[in-house]
Amino acid sequence: MSLKNVIEVQNVWKSFKTVQAVKGIDLNIESGQFVALLGPNGAGKTTLVEMIEGIQKPDKGEITIMGKKWKGNEDELHRIIGLSLQETRFFDKLRVTETLMMFSSFFGQGKERVKEIIDIVGLDEKKKAYVVNLSGGQRQRLALGIALINNPAILLLDEPTTGLDPNARREIWDILNALRRNSGTSMILTTHYMEEAENLCDYIVIMDHGKILMEGTQKQLLEGETAEKIIEFTIDSGSVNPDLNNLTQSFTIQADPSGKSGSVALRNFDEQLPEFMSLMKSNNIRIKHMECRRKTLDDLFITLTGRKIDE
Protein backbone atom coordinates (compact mmCIF):
# COMPACT_ATOMS: atom_id res chain seq x y z
CA MET A 1 0.00 0.00 0.00
CA SER A 2 1.18 3.50 -0.84
CA LEU A 3 1.95 5.60 2.23
CA LYS A 4 -0.31 8.31 0.77
CA ASN A 5 -3.33 6.05 0.30
CA VAL A 6 -5.78 5.50 3.15
CA ILE A 7 -8.11 3.35 1.01
CA GLU A 8 -7.19 0.99 -1.81
CA VAL A 9 -9.78 -0.85 -3.88
CA GLN A 10 -8.35 -3.45 -6.25
CA ASN A 11 -10.40 -5.19 -8.97
CA VAL A 12 -13.54 -5.38 -6.82
CA TRP A 13 -16.69 -7.13 -8.06
CA LYS A 14 -20.10 -7.50 -6.41
CA SER A 15 -23.38 -8.97 -7.64
CA PHE A 16 -26.84 -9.49 -6.17
CA LYS A 17 -28.73 -12.38 -7.81
CA THR A 18 -28.91 -11.33 -11.47
CA VAL A 19 -27.59 -7.77 -10.96
CA GLN A 20 -23.87 -7.08 -11.34
CA ALA A 21 -23.64 -3.99 -9.11
CA VAL A 22 -19.86 -3.40 -9.20
CA LYS A 23 -17.67 -4.54 -12.07
CA GLY A 24 -13.93 -4.70 -11.49
CA ILE A 25 -13.36 -1.33 -9.84
CA ASP A 26 -9.92 0.01 -8.90
CA LEU A 27 -9.77 3.13 -6.73
CA ASN A 28 -7.22 4.80 -4.46
CA ILE A 29 -8.10 7.47 -1.89
CA GLU A 30 -5.27 9.62 -0.55
CA SER A 31 -4.93 10.99 2.96
CA GLY A 32 -6.95 14.19 3.38
CA GLN A 33 -8.63 13.81 0.00
CA PHE A 34 -12.36 14.56 -0.47
CA VAL A 35 -13.66 12.26 -3.21
CA ALA A 36 -17.08 12.27 -4.89
CA LEU A 37 -18.55 9.09 -6.33
CA LEU A 38 -20.83 10.74 -8.87
CA GLY A 39 -23.48 8.87 -10.79
CA PRO A 40 -27.21 8.17 -11.16
CA ASN A 41 -29.23 5.79 -9.00
CA GLY A 42 -28.14 2.24 -9.77
CA ALA A 43 -24.60 3.23 -10.75
CA GLY A 44 -23.07 1.07 -7.99
CA LYS A 45 -21.99 3.94 -5.73
CA THR A 46 -23.72 2.73 -2.56
CA THR A 47 -22.61 -0.88 -3.05
CA LEU A 48 -19.00 0.22 -3.46
CA VAL A 49 -19.15 2.37 -0.29
CA GLU A 50 -20.82 -0.44 1.67
CA MET A 51 -17.92 -2.72 0.74
CA ILE A 52 -15.40 -0.06 1.77
CA GLU A 53 -17.15 0.36 5.12
CA GLY A 54 -17.33 -3.39 5.70
CA ILE A 55 -21.11 -3.83 5.43
CA GLN A 56 -20.83 -5.88 2.22
CA LYS A 57 -18.10 -8.31 1.20
CA PRO A 58 -16.72 -8.28 -2.34
CA ASP A 59 -17.31 -11.36 -4.48
CA LYS A 60 -13.84 -10.81 -5.88
CA GLY A 61 -11.01 -8.35 -5.35
CA GLU A 62 -9.49 -6.70 -2.30
CA ILE A 63 -10.12 -3.62 -0.18
CA THR A 64 -7.63 -2.28 2.36
CA ILE A 65 -8.17 0.55 4.86
CA MET A 66 -4.98 2.08 6.24
CA GLY A 67 -3.19 -0.97 4.84
CA LYS A 68 -5.47 -3.43 6.66
CA LYS A 69 -8.24 -5.74 5.47
CA TRP A 70 -11.55 -5.85 7.31
CA LYS A 71 -11.24 -9.47 8.38
CA GLY A 72 -9.59 -9.60 11.80
CA ASN A 73 -9.35 -5.80 12.08
CA GLU A 74 -13.02 -4.88 12.50
CA ASP A 75 -12.77 -3.14 15.88
CA GLU A 76 -9.76 -1.07 14.91
CA LEU A 77 -11.21 0.04 11.56
CA HIS A 78 -14.62 0.88 13.02
CA ARG A 79 -12.91 3.33 15.36
CA ILE A 80 -11.25 5.32 12.55
CA ILE A 81 -14.29 5.46 10.23
CA GLY A 82 -17.30 7.75 10.48
CA LEU A 83 -20.27 6.95 8.31
CA SER A 84 -23.68 8.26 7.44
CA LEU A 85 -26.01 6.09 5.36
CA GLN A 86 -28.78 7.28 3.05
CA GLU A 87 -31.22 7.11 5.96
CA THR A 88 -30.32 7.25 9.63
CA ARG A 89 -32.93 6.04 12.12
CA PHE A 90 -32.97 7.64 15.55
CA PHE A 91 -34.83 7.10 18.81
CA ASP A 92 -37.47 9.78 18.39
CA LYS A 93 -38.02 10.23 22.12
CA LEU A 94 -34.39 11.01 22.84
CA ARG A 95 -33.17 14.59 22.80
CA VAL A 96 -30.37 15.72 20.48
CA THR A 97 -27.80 15.85 23.30
CA GLU A 98 -28.91 12.46 24.62
CA THR A 99 -28.56 10.92 21.16
CA LEU A 100 -25.04 12.26 20.75
CA MET A 101 -24.09 11.17 24.29
CA MET A 102 -25.23 7.64 23.50
CA PHE A 103 -23.08 7.44 20.35
CA SER A 104 -20.12 9.16 22.02
CA SER A 105 -20.12 6.46 24.73
CA PHE A 106 -19.42 3.83 22.04
CA PHE A 107 -16.05 5.49 21.42
CA GLY A 108 -15.18 6.49 24.98
CA GLN A 109 -15.92 10.15 24.26
CA GLY A 110 -17.41 12.47 26.87
CA LYS A 111 -19.57 15.56 27.22
CA GLU A 112 -16.91 17.91 25.85
CA ARG A 113 -16.85 16.11 22.51
CA VAL A 114 -20.66 16.23 22.36
CA LYS A 115 -20.54 20.00 22.93
CA GLU A 116 -17.97 20.32 20.13
CA ILE A 117 -20.13 18.32 17.74
CA ILE A 118 -23.26 20.35 18.55
CA ASP A 119 -21.26 23.48 17.70
CA ILE A 120 -19.78 21.97 14.50
CA VAL A 121 -23.17 20.93 13.08
CA GLY A 122 -25.00 24.06 14.28
CA LEU A 123 -27.56 22.41 16.54
CA ASP A 124 -27.04 24.46 19.69
CA GLU A 125 -30.59 25.87 19.58
CA LYS A 126 -31.95 22.33 19.15
CA LYS A 127 -29.76 20.48 21.65
CA LYS A 128 -32.67 19.94 24.07
CA ALA A 129 -35.21 19.16 21.33
CA TYR A 130 -36.58 15.66 20.82
CA VAL A 131 -35.31 14.08 17.62
CA VAL A 132 -38.88 13.53 16.41
CA ASN A 133 -39.34 17.31 16.25
CA LEU A 134 -36.30 18.01 14.04
CA SER A 135 -36.66 19.07 10.41
CA GLY A 136 -35.15 16.96 7.64
CA GLY A 137 -32.09 19.18 7.43
CA GLN A 138 -31.59 19.15 11.20
CA ARG A 139 -31.83 15.34 11.25
CA GLN A 140 -29.17 15.14 8.56
CA ARG A 141 -26.92 17.49 10.54
CA LEU A 142 -27.42 15.25 13.56
CA ALA A 143 -26.51 12.21 11.44
CA LEU A 144 -23.38 14.02 10.28
CA GLY A 145 -22.54 14.89 13.89
CA ILE A 146 -22.79 11.20 14.82
CA ALA A 147 -20.48 10.33 11.91
CA LEU A 148 -17.93 12.84 13.24
CA ILE A 149 -18.21 11.96 16.95
CA ASN A 150 -15.12 9.71 16.93
CA ASN A 151 -12.84 12.19 15.09
CA PRO A 152 -12.70 9.81 12.12
CA ALA A 153 -9.69 9.59 9.83
CA ILE A 154 -12.10 8.48 7.10
CA LEU A 155 -15.63 9.81 6.58
CA LEU A 156 -18.06 7.91 4.34
CA LEU A 157 -21.27 9.73 3.38
CA ASP A 158 -23.93 8.12 1.21
CA GLU A 159 -26.22 10.71 -0.45
CA PRO A 160 -26.24 12.96 2.64
CA THR A 161 -28.38 15.74 1.11
CA THR A 162 -30.92 13.77 -0.95
CA GLY A 163 -34.42 15.12 -0.37
CA LEU A 164 -33.27 18.29 1.39
CA ASP A 165 -34.30 21.76 0.32
CA PRO A 166 -31.55 24.03 -1.11
CA ASN A 167 -30.97 25.88 2.19
CA ALA A 168 -30.61 22.66 4.21
CA ARG A 169 -28.28 21.26 1.55
CA ARG A 170 -26.08 24.35 1.75
CA GLU A 171 -25.87 24.00 5.53
CA ILE A 172 -24.48 20.48 5.12
CA TRP A 173 -22.03 21.75 2.49
CA ASP A 174 -20.80 24.50 4.85
CA ILE A 175 -20.10 21.93 7.58
CA LEU A 176 -18.19 19.66 5.20
CA ASN A 177 -16.20 22.49 3.65
CA ALA A 178 -15.15 23.63 7.13
CA LEU A 179 -14.11 20.05 7.89
CA ARG A 180 -12.01 19.92 4.72
CA ARG A 181 -10.24 23.16 5.67
CA ASN A 182 -9.62 22.32 9.33
CA SER A 183 -8.91 18.60 9.50
CA GLY A 184 -6.91 15.87 7.82
CA THR A 185 -9.98 13.69 7.38
CA SER A 186 -10.42 11.81 4.09
CA MET A 187 -13.95 11.65 2.73
CA ILE A 188 -15.87 9.60 0.20
CA LEU A 189 -19.19 11.16 -0.76
CA THR A 190 -21.74 9.46 -3.00
CA THR A 191 -24.04 11.86 -4.82
CA HIS A 192 -26.01 12.41 -7.99
CA TYR A 193 -25.84 16.18 -7.60
CA MET A 194 -23.23 17.66 -9.93
CA GLU A 195 -23.07 20.91 -7.94
CA GLU A 196 -22.44 18.98 -4.73
CA ALA A 197 -19.45 17.14 -6.21
CA GLU A 198 -18.07 20.40 -7.61
CA ASN A 199 -18.45 22.28 -4.32
CA LEU A 200 -17.17 19.70 -1.88
CA CYS A 201 -14.64 17.42 -3.50
CA ASP A 202 -11.04 17.61 -4.69
CA TYR A 203 -11.37 14.49 -6.82
CA ILE A 204 -14.38 13.21 -8.79
CA VAL A 205 -15.09 9.62 -9.83
CA ILE A 206 -17.87 9.30 -12.43
CA MET A 207 -19.67 5.95 -12.20
CA ASP A 208 -22.39 4.24 -14.20
CA HIS A 209 -23.60 0.63 -14.41
CA GLY A 210 -21.04 -0.58 -11.87
CA LYS A 211 -17.99 0.85 -13.61
CA ILE A 212 -15.78 3.92 -13.33
CA LEU A 213 -16.15 5.88 -16.56
CA MET A 214 -13.67 8.62 -15.73
CA GLU A 215 -11.90 10.10 -12.71
CA GLY A 216 -9.75 13.08 -11.85
CA THR A 217 -9.86 16.59 -10.47
CA GLN A 218 -12.57 18.83 -11.90
CA LYS A 219 -9.89 20.65 -13.89
CA GLN A 220 -8.53 17.39 -15.29
CA LEU A 221 -12.00 16.20 -16.28
CA LEU A 222 -13.12 19.42 -17.94
CA GLU A 223 -9.89 20.85 -19.31
CA GLY A 224 -8.02 17.75 -20.45
CA GLU A 225 -8.46 15.87 -23.70
CA THR A 226 -12.23 16.16 -23.31
CA ALA A 227 -12.15 19.96 -23.01
CA GLU A 228 -14.96 21.44 -25.04
CA LYS A 229 -17.11 24.52 -25.24
CA ILE A 230 -20.86 24.16 -25.42
CA ILE A 231 -23.00 26.12 -27.87
CA GLU A 232 -26.68 26.30 -26.88
CA PHE A 233 -29.05 27.53 -29.54
CA THR A 234 -32.71 27.98 -30.47
CA ILE A 235 -34.08 27.82 -33.99
CA ASP A 236 -36.26 30.45 -35.63
CA SER A 237 -39.87 29.28 -35.78
CA GLY A 238 -39.89 29.79 -39.54
CA SER A 239 -37.19 27.14 -40.10
CA VAL A 240 -37.96 23.63 -41.21
CA ASN A 241 -38.13 21.16 -38.30
CA PRO A 242 -34.82 19.31 -38.85
CA ASP A 243 -33.50 16.07 -37.42
CA LEU A 244 -30.76 17.76 -35.42
CA ASN A 245 -29.44 14.52 -33.90
CA ASN A 246 -28.54 13.12 -37.32
CA LEU A 247 -27.51 16.32 -39.03
CA THR A 248 -23.77 15.66 -38.99
CA GLN A 249 -21.09 13.22 -37.87
CA SER A 250 -18.45 15.92 -37.40
CA PHE A 251 -19.73 16.72 -33.91
CA THR A 252 -22.62 15.62 -31.72
CA ILE A 253 -25.73 17.76 -31.54
CA GLN A 254 -28.04 17.15 -28.59
CA ALA A 255 -31.56 18.18 -29.63
CA ASP A 256 -34.47 19.15 -27.43
CA PRO A 257 -37.50 16.85 -27.98
CA SER A 258 -39.31 19.79 -29.63
CA GLY A 259 -36.59 20.02 -32.28
CA LYS A 260 -36.52 23.79 -31.84
CA SER A 261 -33.44 24.02 -29.62
CA GLY A 262 -30.31 22.09 -28.86
CA SER A 263 -26.66 22.16 -27.92
CA VAL A 264 -23.43 21.13 -29.55
CA ALA A 265 -20.01 20.44 -28.02
CA LEU A 266 -17.08 21.93 -29.93
CA ARG A 267 -13.58 20.77 -29.05
CA ASN A 268 -11.79 22.97 -31.59
CA PHE A 269 -13.91 26.08 -31.18
CA ASP A 270 -12.23 28.37 -33.73
CA GLU A 271 -12.50 25.82 -36.52
CA GLN A 272 -15.73 24.07 -35.63
CA LEU A 273 -17.93 27.13 -34.95
CA PRO A 274 -17.76 28.31 -38.59
CA GLU A 275 -18.36 24.69 -39.66
CA PHE A 276 -21.43 24.52 -37.41
CA MET A 277 -22.82 27.80 -38.72
CA SER A 278 -22.23 26.68 -42.32
CA LEU A 279 -24.04 23.42 -41.57
CA MET A 280 -27.05 25.28 -40.24
CA LYS A 281 -27.13 27.58 -43.26
CA SER A 282 -26.82 24.74 -45.79
CA ASN A 283 -29.81 23.04 -44.17
CA ASN A 284 -31.90 26.23 -44.22
CA ILE A 285 -31.91 26.41 -40.41
CA ARG A 286 -32.02 29.95 -39.04
CA ILE A 287 -30.65 30.35 -35.52
CA LYS A 288 -32.69 32.73 -33.38
CA HIS A 289 -30.48 32.73 -30.28
CA MET A 290 -27.08 31.28 -29.45
CA GLU A 291 -24.75 31.39 -26.46
CA CYS A 292 -21.44 29.79 -25.56
CA ARG A 293 -20.42 28.39 -22.17
CA ARG A 294 -17.79 26.15 -20.64
CA LYS A 295 -18.37 22.43 -20.40
CA THR A 296 -19.73 21.19 -17.05
CA LEU A 297 -19.71 17.81 -15.32
CA ASP A 298 -23.29 17.35 -16.48
CA ASP A 299 -22.18 17.83 -20.09
CA LEU A 300 -19.34 15.37 -19.53
CA PHE A 301 -21.72 12.75 -18.14
CA ILE A 302 -23.98 13.16 -21.19
CA THR A 303 -20.95 12.76 -23.46
CA LEU A 304 -19.91 9.57 -21.65
CA THR A 305 -23.35 7.95 -21.34
CA GLY A 306 -25.69 9.66 -23.79
CA ARG A 307 -28.08 10.72 -21.02
CA LYS A 308 -28.40 13.08 -18.09
CA ILE A 309 -27.40 11.91 -14.63
CA ASP A 310 -30.94 12.14 -13.27
CA GLU A 311 -32.53 10.06 -16.02
Side-chain angles (χ1 to χ4, degrees), residues 102-245:
M102 179 180 67
F103 280 94
S104 72
S105 68
F106 300 157
F107 299 99
Q109 301 282 353
K111 291 182 180 180
E112 287 305 311
R113 181 57 181 164
V114 169
K115 290 178 182 177
E116 289 175 6
I117 291 295
I118 287 173
D119 184 55
I120 288 170
V121 299
L123 286 175
D124 188 63
E125 291 184 359
K126 292 291 181 178
K127 63 185 178 182
K128 295 182 180 180
Y130 288 107
V131 171
V132 70
N133 294 323
L134 298 181
S135 67
Q138 290 163 350
R139 290 175 74 95
Q140 282 302 94
R141 279 188 275 150
L142 177 58
L144 183 54
I146 290 168
L148 295 173
I149 201 86
N150 58 326
N151 286 299
I154 299 169
L155 183 62
L156 304 174
L157 303 180
D158 192 11
E159 304 276 5
T161 65
T162 295
L164 299 185
D165 63 59
N167 285 336
R169 185 174 296 139
R170 288 281 178 181
E171 289 171 350
I172 298 291
W173 292 1
D174 289 344
I175 295 167
L176 292 174
N177 274 320
L179 181 71
R180 180 169 60 168
R181 291 191 300 269
N182 302 321
S183 76
T185 300
S186 306
M187 182 183 79
I188 298 180
L189 166 83
T190 74
T191 184
H192 58 267
Y193 295 125
M194 296 287 180
E195 190 182 4
E196 187 156 273
E198 292 170 344
N199 271 276
L200 294 178
C201 295
D202 317 301
Y203 196 81
I204 297 170
V205 178
I206 299 176
M207 290 185 65
D208 195 30
H209 297 302
K211 293 184 177 181
I212 292 176
L213 303 182
M214 190 172 285
E215 61 181 290
T217 64
Q218 187 174 340
K219 184 175 181 179
Q220 288 169 338
L221 293 176
L222 299 180
E223 298 181 13
E225 293 180 0
T226 59
E228 293 172 329
K229 290 185 178 178
I230 305 297
I231 299 292
E232 294 181 334
F233 60 91
T234 55
I235 296 171
D236 189 280
S237 56
S239 296
V240 198
N241 194 1
D243 183 2
L244 292 172
N245 290 317

Side-chain angles (χ1 to χ4, degrees), residues 14-71:
K14 183 67 179 179
S15 62
F16 301 96
K17 295 183 179 179
T18 59
V19 178
Q20 190 75 60
V22 172
K23 305 171 184 176
I25 281 183
D26 293 292
L27 180 65
N28 294 324
I29 309 297
E30 296 180 2
S31 177
Q33 195 174 42
F34 272 36
V35 176
L37 298 183
L38 179 64
N41 293 331
K45 308 184 303 294
T46 294
T47 301
L48 177 58
V49 167
E50 286 181 349
M51 288 189 287
I52 291 172
E53 63 197 18
I55 293 176
Q56 301 279 356
K57 292 182 180 179
D59 297 333
K60 179 183 175 183
E62 185 174 273
I63 296 175
T64 55
I65 314 291
M66 299 291 199
K68 297 180 179 182
K69 299 178 184 179
W70 271 102
K71 189 174 182 180

